[in-house]
Amino acid sequence: EASLVKALLDRFPATVWLVGSAFVTETARQFVRRRPPSRPCIAEYGEDFPVFLAAERGAATLPYVRSFAELEWHLGRLSLAVTLPALGASDLSALGADTLMNVKITMQPGVHYVHAAWDIDNLIRLFLTDSAPDHFSLQSGDAWIELRGARGDLQMNRLEPASFAFRAALAAGQLLGDAAIAAIDLGPTFNAGQALGTLVADELVTAADVHDSGGTA
């Protein structure tokens, strides 16, 4: 039990910093007792801890704690990712414009998209940079966040809603055409071609496979 509790605390140091060591430690003990590991890899243990933490009575005044802890979980996971060789613009142009809408994009494994209702990215950045001010006013409101990680390097970028919807849909395995529709629903002036070009320029695309209308490769 002690080793599992320590593993959780090591996975959520920013959450400990935010909420307090005593509360997180006791919640970790309860989590370990009620939800012991189902897999032998301790490094993967704790994905459900943010939900469990937010349900505890002591978190009632912290409506942002679940989103904050989930963001920390993903940052820890992505920091271990390995960057794969990326496709260039010529690789996609070879597919032909008539097939692009039926293309399924594979993105870098170190990319994740988070839609939060709080200013949690700026809050966790204070912890990561060890630059907490005497006072920080956490703002509510939509935050569309792109997370990137590779070999210990982490980035958090704010995106416009349409760009976020496009990239998140592609990362979830949707076809390019469907991702473009999801983005246009949030921004009628969204340009899928330019957005795809930016994605390629950012070296986030690792594969592009054409699917037929029946959904098979």
Side-chain angles (χ1 to χ4, degrees), residues 89-202:
S90 60
D91 297 307
L92 290 183
S93 62
L95 296 174
D98 55 334
T99 63
L100 272 180
M101 292 299 99
N102 288 324
V103 165
K104 182 177 181 180
I105 296 293
T106 301
M107 299 180 66
Q108 293 285 0
V111 177
H112 187 76
Y113 295 89
V114 173
H115 175 205
W118 296 88
D119 194 20
I120 56 172
D121 54 331
N122 287 329
L123 180 58
I124 204 168
R125 191 174 281 112
L126 296 177
F127 170 80
L128 294 173
T129 59
D130 194 23
S131 58
D134 293 334
H135 176 76
F136 178 81
S137 179
L138 186 66
Q139 302 296 318
S140 61
D142 289 316
W144 313 84
I145 310 166
E146 179 184 68
L147 309 177
R148 300 189 198 178
R151 298 185 182 277
D153 181 51
L154 293 170
Q155 297 180 40
M156 291 183 288
N157 305 309
R158 288 282 184 104
L159 300 178
E160 294 297 322
S163 295
F164 176 94
F166 180 71
R167 293 191 173 200
L170 292 177
Q174 295 187 28
L175 297 181
L176 184 59
D178 295 331
I181 291 172
I184 291 172
D185 285 342
L186 293 176
T189 61
F190 177 81
N191 186 309
Q194 290 181 0
L196 180 61
T198 301
L199 200 65
V200 172
D202 288 345

Side-chain angles (χ1 to χ4, degrees), residues 20 22 27-28 31 33-34 47 49 51 59 63 72 77 79 92 109 126 129 141 157 167 183 189 192 199:
T27 304
F31 181 82
R33 292 166 185 166
R34 299 180 195 176
E47 184 175 2
F49 183 67
V51 176
E72 181 174 26
R77 175 179 62 85
S79 68
L92 290 183
L126 296 177
T129 59
N157 305 309
R167 293 191 173 200
T189 61
L199 200 65

